Amino acid sequence: MIDQRLLPETFTVVSYRAHAEVARAITDMVVRGAPAIGAAAAFGLALAGFESRAQTVGELLSDLQAAAVTLKAARPTAVNLAWAVDRILDYVLRFSGSSVDDIRAFVLAEAQRLADEDVEVNKRMAAHGAELIADGDTIVHHCNTGALATVDWGTALGVIRMAWEQGKRIHVLVDETRPRLQGARLTAWELEQYGIPYEIISDNMSGYFMRAGKVQKVLFGADRITANGDVANKIGTYMLALAAKDNGIPAYSVAPTSTIDLSLAHGGLIPIEERAPAEVLDIQLAGERVTPRNAKARNPAFDVTPNRLITGIVTENGVAYPPFEVNLAKFVNRNS
Amino acid sequence: MIDQRLLPETFTVVSYRAHAEVARAITDMVVRGAPAIGAAAAFGLALAGFESRAQTVGELLSDLQAAAVTLKAARPTAVNLAWAVDRILDYVLRFSGSSVDDIRAFVLAEAQRLADEDVEVNKRMAAHGAELIADGDTIVHHCNTGALATVDWGTALGVIRMAWEQGKRIHVLVDETRPRLQGARLTAWELEQYGIPYEIISDNMSGYFMRAGKVQKVLFGADRITANGDVANKIGTYMLALAAKDNGIPAYSVAPTSTIDLSLAHGGLIPIEERAPAEVLDIQLAGERVTPRNAKARNPAFDVTPNRLITGIVTENGVAYPPFEVNLAKFVNRNS
């Protein structure tokens, strides 16, 4: 994995040999982004297969199920994590008549397939989403949703990249995305690679630029989308979408169907992770303290944007529009 | 002045002997907060009187007028700066028959009077505002509006302090207020002094806590309020007030009548300062760079919150409610 905590200062690739290390890397946000942690967990499960000393298929499946619990507990909000792990478990259960070594190989192969599909899915999403972007658009983008947040290409940032490659002149206002600065650190770094013009703003500034008439689109990813189209995503998405609505600016969530959780009726049912206060208090991760010595902080990592603030949800199968209760399920790929 | 850029790490008092130094200190935000920079500019004008080598009253008034231009140009958005300087100039013009030394003394005396009045005005505001706060309220507070932002006591934070001293159990969610972190650094520091319970949140989190039903009031100050009740205030106020409105939570601007600019019909006419990108890019002032080397940033220091999002404006003369076009002028103290 690229250690995303060190960007943009240094580009460091780290390797893991045990699923518990992968789970820890997900929790600590070495890797982050809903699709990326799904793929990471899939390979974590493959590692668990090779770690296992199982002599029988039953023992191996039991070890895989234990590893699945560990991996799924690494972070609670993004559904892609559980989706990826469950998909692989479901897959290998079909082969319980095979050998232990075969099943180890099947887990790895399915993890690789899942990762490869993510790139394919992202490009299809990008093509659908790029149709929504006009030449000359200034786009507010929240958090990081690019190649770093996925296996490659990205979700919302993938749409921006596709529109740019189509020759549309676009400008990105990059929400810095406190507290961990995924926008200022990661999205800015990616946009530098792609040569797409951008400026960084603090999260509380996007409304100012919208009111000034400078913003035509708002794009973000999703960590979990419920059956009614409520979107759990990085903290700050709700206030951003609210400002877009207040200014008549379309706000799109860009996410693969693996992010859609039809088992939950609405966003109030999504578990919201609350992370360590130090991320808020120290400004820099494990860095400089800028707040009073005894200060306390809160640190919810996600919020839920109600469906009334979402213009459309861009998936690999097309763009879903309200009423999401009716239209979203049509886009979910039931074969995956 | 207390050098507010160094809090909460160190408490350092700096002195100036020339009005140009005071103007520079205002620009660089050694001192900040609309009422505080008004008082600082008033004393800056007094320094200009003593700096002047004028032999005649005409020469002295000319020197004072030149100094007034310098001081008023230090920051454009908060009207208190111009209000304070103009008030003193208007005052001394009445004494153009006096001696040069007398006029120097009159300028200083009027600056001191203005500063003393600020404390008195703030306490009256706090008394009016505290009536709006209920026992058990959790209050979201933006930027710093306390003793540091005024001569003493504060505006919105003064309301919180008064409610606390009245025995109301309150809890403050302190918006960190990017990019300069006046909330995380200054408001947290002040609340520590007063013993009022608080937690720091990043600006993009307040909507989350509102939707969770945890917030009963939103309070902020103002840098300029136009005749129709539009409120220019620290960047982020608009998105905060929007989230309050979306959740049915009252949002009050707390500001002395010296912040009300009846000469402007609406907020679109207020000049909005844009400060150096480094404040966004470096996270810490003149500190660590956390963004890509070539990254650009935007940095509007204020935004305008439209009057439809303002529940009431707390002044020293009482609380003005909509329609502000009609009601606000009644509260402006025309004697000042």
mmCIF file of all heavy atoms in Angstrom, chain A residues 176 178 198-200 204-206 238-239 246-247 283-284 290 295-299 304 308, chain B residues 176 178 198-200 204-206 211 238-239 246-247 283-284 290 295-299 308:
data_model
loop_
_atom_site.group_PDB
_atom_site.id
_atom_site.type_symbol
_atom_site.label_atom_id
_atom_site.label_comp_id
_atom_site.label_asym_id
_atom_site.label_seq_id
_atom_site.Cartn_x
_atom_site.Cartn_y
_atom_site.Cartn_z
ATOM 1 N N GLU A 176 -10.231 21.367 1.866
ATOM 2 C CA GLU A 176 -9.072 20.742 2.519
ATOM 3 C C GLU A 176 -9.459 19.486 3.310
ATOM 4 O O GLU A 176 -8.676 18.559 3.436
ATOM 5 C CB GLU A 176 -8.336 21.735 3.409
ATOM 6 C CG GLU A 176 -9.134 22.259 4.569
ATOM 7 C CD GLU A 176 -8.287 23.134 5.486
ATOM 8 O OE1 GLU A 176 -7.082 23.324 5.229
ATOM 9 O OE2 GLU A 176 -8.854 23.641 6.480
ATOM 10 N N ARG A 178 -10.877 18.936 6.769
ATOM 11 C CA ARG A 178 -10.453 18.695 8.139
ATOM 12 C C ARG A 178 -11.225 17.514 8.718
ATOM 13 O O ARG A 178 -12.321 17.233 8.265
ATOM 14 C CB ARG A 178 -10.714 19.980 8.973
ATOM 15 C CG ARG A 178 -9.657 21.057 8.741
ATOM 16 C CD ARG A 178 -8.375 20.768 9.483
ATOM 17 N NE ARG A 178 -8.557 20.876 10.928
ATOM 18 C CZ ARG A 178 -7.876 20.176 11.815
ATOM 19 N NH1 ARG A 178 -6.970 19.285 11.439
ATOM 20 N NH2 ARG A 178 -8.088 20.349 13.095
ATOM 21 N N TYR A 198 -6.358 23.684 -9.916
ATOM 22 C CA TYR A 198 -7.129 23.633 -8.676
ATOM 23 C C TYR A 198 -6.634 24.693 -7.712
ATOM 24 O O TYR A 198 -5.519 25.208 -7.848
ATOM 25 C CB TYR A 198 -7.005 22.247 -8.008
ATOM 26 C CG TYR A 198 -5.631 22.013 -7.416
ATOM 27 C CD1 TYR A 198 -5.371 22.283 -6.077
ATOM 28 C CD2 TYR A 198 -4.583 21.570 -8.221
ATOM 29 C CE1 TYR A 198 -4.105 22.100 -5.553
ATOM 30 C CE2 TYR A 198 -3.315 21.396 -7.699
ATOM 31 C CZ TYR A 198 -3.079 21.661 -6.360
ATOM 32 O OH TYR A 198 -1.812 21.499 -5.852
ATOM 33 N N GLU A 199 -7.473 24.983 -6.739
ATOM 34 C CA GLU A 199 -7.082 25.802 -5.592
ATOM 35 C C GLU A 199 -7.642 25.135 -4.346
ATOM 36 O O GLU A 199 -8.748 24.595 -4.363
ATOM 37 C CB GLU A 199 -7.655 27.220 -5.712
ATOM 38 C CG GLU A 199 -7.026 28.025 -6.843
ATOM 39 C CD GLU A 199 -7.795 29.298 -7.158
ATOM 40 O OE1 GLU A 199 -9.029 29.228 -7.308
ATOM 41 O OE2 GLU A 199 -7.161 30.347 -7.263
ATOM 42 N N ILE A 200 -6.876 25.186 -3.277
ATOM 43 C CA ILE A 200 -7.320 24.613 -2.007
ATOM 44 C C ILE A 200 -8.093 25.681 -1.227
ATOM 45 O O ILE A 200 -7.686 26.841 -1.195
ATOM 46 C CB ILE A 200 -6.107 24.122 -1.189
ATOM 47 C CG1 ILE A 200 -5.349 23.035 -1.969
ATOM 48 C CG2 ILE A 200 -6.553 23.604 0.180
ATOM 49 C CD1 ILE A 200 -3.999 22.673 -1.363
ATOM 50 N N ASN A 204 -14.917 25.580 5.276
ATOM 51 C CA ASN A 204 -15.946 26.581 5.565
ATOM 52 C C ASN A 204 -16.034 27.672 4.502
ATOM 53 O O ASN A 204 -16.796 28.618 4.651
ATOM 54 C CB ASN A 204 -15.707 27.185 6.958
ATOM 55 C CG ASN A 204 -14.324 27.799 7.100
ATOM 56 O OD1 ASN A 204 -13.646 28.076 6.107
ATOM 57 N ND2 ASN A 204 -13.906 28.029 8.334
ATOM 58 N N MET A 205 -15.240 27.565 3.438
ATOM 59 C CA MET A 205 -15.225 28.599 2.400
ATOM 60 C C MET A 205 -16.099 28.279 1.190
ATOM 61 O O MET A 205 -16.366 29.167 0.379
ATOM 62 C CB MET A 205 -13.796 28.809 1.886
ATOM 63 C CG MET A 205 -12.866 29.480 2.866
ATOM 64 S SD MET A 205 -11.164 29.577 2.198
ATOM 65 C CE MET A 205 -10.308 30.234 3.648
ATOM 66 N N SER A 206 -16.509 27.027 1.020
ATOM 67 C CA SER A 206 -17.181 26.694 -0.234
ATOM 68 C C SER A 206 -18.472 27.494 -0.414
ATOM 69 O O SER A 206 -18.786 27.921 -1.525
ATOM 70 C CB SER A 206 -17.439 25.186 -0.335
ATOM 71 O OG SER A 206 -18.182 24.731 0.765
ATOM 72 N N TYR A 238 -22.432 16.992 4.457
ATOM 73 C CA TYR A 238 -23.780 17.530 4.679
ATOM 74 C C TYR A 238 -23.800 19.050 4.532
ATOM 75 O O TYR A 238 -24.641 19.609 3.814
ATOM 76 C CB TYR A 238 -24.283 17.096 6.068
ATOM 77 C CG TYR A 238 -25.438 17.897 6.603
ATOM 78 C CD1 TYR A 238 -26.627 18.012 5.899
ATOM 79 C CD2 TYR A 238 -25.335 18.566 7.820
ATOM 80 C CE1 TYR A 238 -27.685 18.766 6.398
ATOM 81 C CE2 TYR A 238 -26.375 19.309 8.327
ATOM 82 C CZ TYR A 238 -27.555 19.412 7.619
ATOM 83 O OH TYR A 238 -28.594 20.159 8.121
ATOM 84 N N MET A 239 -22.867 19.736 5.198
ATOM 85 C CA MET A 239 -22.871 21.201 5.129
ATOM 86 C C MET A 239 -22.540 21.686 3.713
ATOM 87 O O MET A 239 -23.044 22.717 3.265
ATOM 88 C CB MET A 239 -21.904 21.775 6.165
ATOM 89 C CG MET A 239 -22.380 21.501 7.597
ATOM 90 S SD MET A 239 -21.208 22.037 8.879
ATOM 91 C CE MET A 239 -21.496 23.811 8.885
ATOM 92 N N ASP A 246 -28.705 25.506 -1.297
ATOM 93 C CA ASP A 246 -29.124 26.888 -1.043
ATOM 94 C C ASP A 246 -28.789 27.800 -2.220
ATOM 95 O O ASP A 246 -29.373 28.866 -2.363
ATOM 96 C CB ASP A 246 -28.441 27.399 0.237
ATOM 97 C CG ASP A 246 -29.083 28.673 0.782
ATOM 98 O OD1 ASP A 246 -30.330 28.702 0.882
ATOM 99 O OD2 ASP A 246 -28.355 29.629 1.092
ATOM 100 N N ASN A 247 -27.833 27.376 -3.031
ATOM 101 C CA ASN A 247 -27.412 28.197 -4.164
ATOM 102 C C ASN A 247 -27.814 27.597 -5.516
ATOM 103 O O ASN A 247 -27.362 28.067 -6.562
ATOM 104 C CB ASN A 247 -25.900 28.407 -4.107
ATOM 105 C CG ASN A 247 -25.502 29.328 -2.964
ATOM 106 O OD1 ASN A 247 -25.607 30.539 -3.065
ATOM 107 N ND2 ASN A 247 -25.088 28.748 -1.844
ATOM 108 N N ILE A 283 -4.019 19.194 14.885
ATOM 109 C CA ILE A 283 -4.015 19.683 13.502
ATOM 110 C C ILE A 283 -3.265 18.713 12.599
ATOM 111 O O ILE A 283 -3.843 18.069 11.754
ATOM 112 C CB ILE A 283 -3.410 21.108 13.365
ATOM 113 C CG1 ILE A 283 -4.143 22.068 14.309
ATOM 114 C CG2 ILE A 283 -3.501 21.578 11.916
ATOM 115 C CD1 ILE A 283 -5.598 22.254 14.015
ATOM 116 N N GLN A 284 -1.979 18.588 12.794
ATOM 117 C CA GLN A 284 -1.237 17.593 12.039
ATOM 118 C C GLN A 284 -1.314 16.260 12.758
ATOM 119 O O GLN A 284 -1.346 16.204 13.981
ATOM 120 C CB GLN A 284 0.229 18.003 11.957
ATOM 121 C CG GLN A 284 0.524 18.853 10.762
ATOM 122 C CD GLN A 284 0.490 17.994 9.526
ATOM 123 O OE1 GLN A 284 -0.518 17.354 9.218
ATOM 124 N NE2 GLN A 284 1.560 17.958 8.811
ATOM 125 N N VAL A 290 -1.919 22.611 18.762
ATOM 126 C CA VAL A 290 -2.179 24.047 18.609
ATOM 127 C C VAL A 290 -3.302 24.499 19.520
ATOM 128 O O VAL A 290 -3.710 25.644 19.482
ATOM 129 C CB VAL A 290 -2.556 24.410 17.154
ATOM 130 C CG1 VAL A 290 -1.387 24.149 16.224
ATOM 131 C CG2 VAL A 290 -3.790 23.682 16.717
ATOM 132 N N ALA A 295 -7.577 20.921 26.405
ATOM 133 C CA ALA A 295 -8.735 20.966 25.501
ATOM 134 C C ALA A 295 -9.201 19.566 25.129
ATOM 135 O O ALA A 295 -8.394 18.659 24.928
ATOM 136 C CB ALA A 295 -8.390 21.754 24.248
ATOM 137 N N LYS A 296 -10.510 19.433 25.059
ATOM 138 C CA LYS A 296 -11.129 18.209 24.539
ATOM 139 C C LYS A 296 -11.635 18.491 23.131
ATOM 140 O O LYS A 296 -11.830 19.637 22.748
ATOM 141 C CB LYS A 296 -12.288 17.783 25.434
ATOM 142 C CG LYS A 296 -11.866 17.314 26.820
ATOM 143 C CD LYS A 296 -13.075 16.780 27.574
ATOM 144 C CE LYS A 296 -12.684 16.279 28.957
ATOM 145 N NZ LYS A 296 -12.185 17.388 29.829
ATOM 146 N N ALA A 297 -11.868 17.424 22.389
ATOM 147 C CA ALA A 297 -12.403 17.591 21.041
ATOM 148 C C ALA A 297 -13.345 16.451 20.735
ATOM 149 O O ALA A 297 -13.314 15.401 21.375
ATOM 150 C CB ALA A 297 -11.286 17.639 20.005
ATOM 151 N N ARG A 298 -14.185 16.653 19.754
ATOM 152 C CA ARG A 298 -15.003 15.592 19.176
ATOM 153 C C ARG A 298 -14.520 15.358 17.762
ATOM 154 O O ARG A 298 -13.974 16.273 17.134
ATOM 155 C CB ARG A 298 -16.490 15.992 19.175
ATOM 156 C CG ARG A 298 -17.087 16.127 20.554
ATOM 157 C CD ARG A 298 -17.182 14.794 21.298
ATOM 158 N NE ARG A 298 -18.023 13.814 20.625
ATOM 159 C CZ ARG A 298 -19.344 13.760 20.760
ATOM 160 N NH1 ARG A 298 -19.976 14.599 21.529
ATOM 161 N NH2 ARG A 298 -20.034 12.830 20.102
ATOM 162 N N ASN A 299 -14.748 14.158 17.249
ATOM 163 C CA ASN A 299 -14.195 13.840 15.938
ATOM 164 C C ASN A 299 -15.007 12.798 15.165
ATOM 165 O O ASN A 299 -14.507 11.740 14.813
ATOM 166 C CB ASN A 299 -12.741 13.368 16.107
ATOM 167 C CG ASN A 299 -12.028 13.216 14.778
ATOM 168 O OD1 ASN A 299 -12.505 13.684 13.742
ATOM 169 N ND2 ASN A 299 -10.883 12.557 14.791
ATOM 170 N N VAL A 304 -24.140 12.156 7.548
ATOM 171 C CA VAL A 304 -25.144 11.658 6.603
ATOM 172 C C VAL A 304 -25.801 12.857 5.930
ATOM 173 O O VAL A 304 -26.316 13.748 6.601
ATOM 174 C CB VAL A 304 -26.200 10.794 7.311
ATOM 175 C CG1 VAL A 304 -27.324 10.427 6.339
ATOM 176 C CG2 VAL A 304 -25.559 9.542 7.889
ATOM 177 N N ARG A 308 -32.696 14.633 0.195
ATOM 178 C CA ARG A 308 -33.255 15.862 -0.386
ATOM 179 C C ARG A 308 -32.158 16.815 -0.871
ATOM 180 O O ARG A 308 -32.430 17.744 -1.633
ATOM 181 C CB ARG A 308 -34.159 16.561 0.631
ATOM 182 C CG ARG A 308 -33.421 17.071 1.857
ATOM 183 C CD ARG A 308 -34.376 17.637 2.936
ATOM 184 N NE ARG A 308 -33.784 17.522 4.252
ATOM 185 C CZ ARG A 308 -32.961 18.428 4.804
ATOM 186 N NH1 ARG A 308 -32.649 19.524 4.155
ATOM 187 N NH2 ARG A 308 -32.452 18.228 6.010
ATOM 188 N N GLU B 176 -13.377 25.207 15.210
ATOM 189 C CA GLU B 176 -11.952 25.572 15.247
ATOM 190 C C GLU B 176 -11.657 26.827 14.430
ATOM 191 O O GLU B 176 -10.745 27.578 14.748
ATOM 192 C CB GLU B 176 -11.076 24.416 14.791
ATOM 193 C CG GLU B 176 -11.270 24.004 13.355
ATOM 194 C CD GLU B 176 -10.278 22.907 12.951
ATOM 195 O OE1 GLU B 176 -9.438 22.479 13.756
ATOM 196 O OE2 GLU B 176 -10.363 22.474 11.789
ATOM 197 N N ARG B 178 -11.046 27.477 10.755
ATOM 198 C CA ARG B 178 -9.967 27.542 9.783
ATOM 199 C C ARG B 178 -10.126 28.806 8.950
ATOM 200 O O ARG B 178 -11.243 29.275 8.779
ATOM 201 C CB ARG B 178 -10.006 26.279 8.894
ATOM 202 C CG ARG B 178 -9.434 25.056 9.599
ATOM 203 C CD ARG B 178 -7.930 25.062 9.582
ATOM 204 N NE ARG B 178 -7.421 24.888 8.211
ATOM 205 C CZ ARG B 178 -6.277 25.422 7.783
ATOM 206 N NH1 ARG B 178 -5.528 26.180 8.582
ATOM 207 N NH2 ARG B 178 -5.870 25.213 6.558
ATOM 208 N N TYR B 198 -16.273 22.784 27.263
ATOM 209 C CA TYR B 198 -16.314 22.936 25.806
ATOM 210 C C TYR B 198 -15.631 21.743 25.164
ATOM 211 O O TYR B 198 -14.855 21.027 25.786
ATOM 212 C CB TYR B 198 -15.603 24.231 25.366
ATOM 213 C CG TYR B 198 -14.109 24.167 25.543
ATOM 214 C CD1 TYR B 198 -13.282 23.775 24.483
ATOM 215 C CD2 TYR B 198 -13.513 24.452 26.772
ATOM 216 C CE1 TYR B 198 -11.905 23.689 24.645
ATOM 217 C CE2 TYR B 198 -12.142 24.365 26.943
ATOM 218 C CZ TYR B 198 -11.349 23.982 25.880
ATOM 219 O OH TYR B 198 -9.996 23.879 26.053
ATOM 220 N N GLU B 199 -15.919 21.573 23.876
ATOM 221 C CA GLU B 199 -15.176 20.645 23.032
ATOM 222 C C GLU B 199 -14.910 21.338 21.709
ATOM 223 O O GLU B 199 -15.757 22.086 21.209
ATOM 224 C CB GLU B 199 -15.985 19.366 22.784
ATOM 225 C CG GLU B 199 -16.129 18.500 24.030
ATOM 226 C CD GLU B 199 -17.191 17.415 23.865
ATOM 227 O OE1 GLU B 199 -18.298 17.729 23.382
ATOM 228 O OE2 GLU B 199 -16.908 16.274 24.234
ATOM 229 N N ILE B 200 -13.745 21.089 21.147
ATOM 230 C CA ILE B 200 -13.394 21.660 19.856
ATOM 231 C C ILE B 200 -13.874 20.720 18.755
ATOM 232 O O ILE B 200 -13.730 19.500 18.863
ATOM 233 C CB ILE B 200 -11.869 21.868 19.764
ATOM 234 C CG1 ILE B 200 -11.403 22.848 20.858
ATOM 235 C CG2 ILE B 200 -11.469 22.385 18.372
ATOM 236 C CD1 ILE B 200 -9.892 22.925 21.021
ATOM 237 N N ASN B 204 -16.498 21.785 9.747
ATOM 238 C CA ASN B 204 -17.416 20.982 8.941
ATOM 239 C C ASN B 204 -18.217 19.973 9.767
ATOM 240 O O ASN B 204 -18.978 19.194 9.217
ATOM 241 C CB ASN B 204 -16.640 20.269 7.821
ATOM 242 C CG ASN B 204 -15.513 19.400 8.340
ATOM 243 O OD1 ASN B 204 -15.469 19.092 9.537
ATOM 244 N ND2 ASN B 204 -14.614 18.996 7.471
ATOM 245 N N MET B 205 -18.047 19.987 11.100
ATOM 246 C CA MET B 205 -18.739 19.026 11.964
ATOM 247 C C MET B 205 -20.017 19.564 12.600
ATOM 248 O O MET B 205 -20.809 18.788 13.137
ATOM 249 C CB MET B 205 -17.812 18.561 13.098
ATOM 250 C CG MET B 205 -16.649 17.692 12.663
ATOM 251 S SD MET B 205 -15.567 17.284 14.073
ATOM 252 C CE MET B 205 -14.248 16.403 13.190
ATOM 253 N N SER B 206 -20.210 20.880 12.608
ATOM 254 C CA SER B 206 -21.334 21.406 13.389
ATOM 255 C C SER B 206 -22.666 20.867 12.875
ATOM 256 O O SER B 206 -23.563 20.572 13.669
ATOM 257 C CB SER B 206 -21.311 22.928 13.427
ATOM 258 O OG SER B 206 -21.330 23.465 12.131
ATOM 259 N N ARG B 211 -27.754 17.755 13.431
ATOM 260 C CA ARG B 211 -28.664 16.714 12.972
ATOM 261 C C ARG B 211 -28.853 15.628 14.031
ATOM 262 O O ARG B 211 -29.894 14.968 14.070
ATOM 263 C CB ARG B 211 -28.161 16.094 11.667
ATOM 264 C CG ARG B 211 -28.600 16.907 10.442
ATOM 265 C CD ARG B 211 -28.042 16.391 9.140
ATOM 266 N NE ARG B 211 -28.395 15.018 8.823
ATOM 267 C CZ ARG B 211 -29.561 14.620 8.317
ATOM 268 N NH1 ARG B 211 -30.505 15.502 8.071
ATOM 269 N NH2 ARG B 211 -29.783 13.354 8.053
ATOM 270 N N TYR B 238 -21.660 31.678 7.222
ATOM 271 C CA TYR B 238 -22.804 31.392 6.338
ATOM 272 C C TYR B 238 -23.180 29.911 6.381
ATOM 273 O O TYR B 238 -24.356 29.560 6.566
ATOM 274 C CB TYR B 238 -22.465 31.839 4.910
ATOM 275 C CG TYR B 238 -23.340 31.243 3.837
ATOM 276 C CD1 TYR B 238 -24.723 31.405 3.864
ATOM 277 C CD2 TYR B 238 -22.778 30.501 2.795
ATOM 278 C CE1 TYR B 238 -25.523 30.853 2.870
ATOM 279 C CE2 TYR B 238 -23.573 29.952 1.804
ATOM 280 C CZ TYR B 238 -24.944 30.121 1.848
ATOM 281 O OH TYR B 238 -25.724 29.565 0.875
ATOM 282 N N MET B 239 -22.195 29.028 6.228
ATOM 283 C CA MET B 239 -22.506 27.596 6.209
ATOM 284 C C MET B 239 -23.009 27.124 7.578
ATOM 285 O O MET B 239 -23.858 26.231 7.673
ATOM 286 C CB MET B 239 -21.284 26.794 5.754
ATOM 287 C CG MET B 239 -20.923 27.079 4.294
ATOM 288 S SD MET B 239 -19.414 26.254 3.715
ATOM 289 C CE MET B 239 -19.996 24.572 3.473
ATOM 290 N N ASP B 246 -31.426 24.802 8.749
ATOM 291 C CA ASP B 246 -31.919 23.514 8.248
ATOM 292 C C ASP B 246 -32.389 22.617 9.384
ATOM 293 O O ASP B 246 -33.144 21.679 9.167
ATOM 294 C CB ASP B 246 -30.807 22.810 7.447
ATOM 295 C CG ASP B 246 -31.336 21.666 6.583
ATOM 296 O OD1 ASP B 246 -32.343 21.880 5.874
ATOM 297 O OD2 ASP B 246 -30.758 20.571 6.622
ATOM 298 N N ASN B 247 -31.887 22.885 10.579
ATOM 299 C CA ASN B 247 -32.239 22.061 11.734
ATOM 300 C C ASN B 247 -33.130 22.792 12.735
ATOM 301 O O ASN B 247 -33.344 22.300 13.848
ATOM 302 C CB ASN B 247 -30.960 21.570 12.417
ATOM 303 C CG ASN B 247 -30.232 20.541 11.568
ATOM 304 O OD1 ASN B 247 -30.606 19.373 11.556
ATOM 305 N ND2 ASN B 247 -29.231 20.969 10.807
ATOM 306 N N ILE B 283 -1.291 25.492 7.034
ATOM 307 C CA ILE B 283 -2.053 25.092 8.208
ATOM 308 C C ILE B 283 -1.674 25.961 9.397
ATOM 309 O O ILE B 283 -2.471 26.735 9.879
ATOM 310 C CB ILE B 283 -1.865 23.594 8.572
ATOM 311 C CG1 ILE B 283 -2.215 22.731 7.363
ATOM 312 C CG2 ILE B 283 -2.726 23.215 9.752
ATOM 313 C CD1 ILE B 283 -3.635 22.844 6.868
ATOM 314 N N GLN B 284 -0.457 25.822 9.845
ATOM 315 C CA GLN B 284 -0.017 26.684 10.929
ATOM 316 C C GLN B 284 0.545 27.972 10.343
ATOM 317 O O GLN B 284 1.154 27.979 9.287
ATOM 318 C CB GLN B 284 1.088 25.996 11.727
ATOM 319 C CG GLN B 284 0.542 25.219 12.874
ATOM 320 C CD GLN B 284 0.073 26.161 13.948
ATOM 321 O OE1 GLN B 284 -0.809 26.991 13.736
ATOM 322 N NE2 GLN B 284 0.665 26.045 15.103
ATOM 323 N N VAL B 290 1.746 21.558 4.511
ATOM 324 C CA VAL B 290 1.167 20.213 4.448
ATOM 325 C C VAL B 290 0.578 19.935 3.080
ATOM 326 O O VAL B 290 -0.015 18.888 2.856
ATOM 327 C CB VAL B 290 0.068 20.000 5.507
ATOM 328 C CG1 VAL B 290 0.651 20.075 6.901
ATOM 329 C CG2 VAL B 290 -1.059 20.982 5.311
ATOM 330 N N ALA B 295 0.970 23.899 -4.821
ATOM 331 C CA ALA B 295 -0.462 24.120 -4.614
ATOM 332 C C ALA B 295 -0.780 25.590 -4.439
ATOM 333 O O ALA B 295 -0.014 26.347 -3.833
ATOM 334 C CB ALA B 295 -0.927 23.346 -3.387
ATOM 335 N N LYS B 296 -1.907 25.992 -4.992
ATOM 336 C CA LYS B 296 -2.444 27.327 -4.773
ATOM 337 C C LYS B 296 -3.619 27.226 -3.816
ATOM 338 O O LYS B 296 -4.199 26.160 -3.637
ATOM 339 C CB LYS B 296 -2.912 27.935 -6.096
ATOM 340 C CG LYS B 296 -1.795 28.221 -7.075
ATOM 341 C CD LYS B 296 -2.340 28.955 -8.292
ATOM 342 C CE LYS B 296 -1.242 29.318 -9.267
ATOM 343 N NZ LYS B 296 -0.631 28.096 -9.856
ATOM 344 N N ALA B 297 -3.975 28.345 -3.233
ATOM 345 C CA ALA B 297 -5.124 28.345 -2.335
ATOM 346 C C ALA B 297 -5.860 29.668 -2.471
ATOM 347 O O ALA B 297 -5.315 30.649 -2.964
ATOM 348 C CB ALA B 297 -4.687 28.139 -0.893
ATOM 349 N N ARG B 298 -7.100 29.672 -2.052
ATOM 350 C CA ARG B 298 -7.866 30.908 -1.893
ATOM 351 C C ARG B 298 -8.098 31.116 -0.409
ATOM 352 O O ARG B 298 -8.108 30.152 0.365
ATOM 353 C CB ARG B 298 -9.209 30.806 -2.627
ATOM 354 C CG ARG B 298 -9.061 30.706 -4.135
ATOM 355 C CD ARG B 298 -8.526 31.989 -4.766
ATOM 356 N NE ARG B 298 -9.389 33.132 -4.524
ATOM 357 C CZ ARG B 298 -10.430 33.467 -5.277
ATOM 358 N NH1 ARG B 298 -10.760 32.733 -6.314
ATOM 359 N NH2 ARG B 298 -11.160 34.526 -4.995
ATOM 360 N N ASN B 299 -8.317 32.355 -0.007
ATOM 361 C CA ASN B 299 -8.423 32.619 1.422
ATOM 362 C C ASN B 299 -9.303 33.812 1.740
ATOM 363 O O ASN B 299 -8.849 34.783 2.351
ATOM 364 C CB ASN B 299 -7.015 32.795 2.004
ATOM 365 C CG ASN B 299 -7.021 32.883 3.515
ATOM 366 O OD1 ASN B 299 -8.029 32.558 4.152
ATOM 367 N ND2 ASN B 299 -5.932 33.338 4.096
ATOM 368 N N ARG B 308 -32.032 36.142 6.029
ATOM 369 C CA ARG B 308 -33.028 35.068 6.211
ATOM 370 C C ARG B 308 -32.513 33.953 7.114
ATOM 371 O O ARG B 308 -33.290 33.125 7.589
ATOM 372 C CB ARG B 308 -33.447 34.504 4.853
ATOM 373 C CG ARG B 308 -32.323 33.794 4.119
ATOM 374 C CD ARG B 308 -32.702 33.386 2.684
ATOM 375 N NE ARG B 308 -31.533 33.310 1.831
ATOM 376 C CZ ARG B 308 -30.741 32.243 1.687
ATOM 377 N NH1 ARG B 308 -31.001 31.138 2.358
ATOM 378 N NH2 ARG B 308 -29.692 32.277 0.909
#
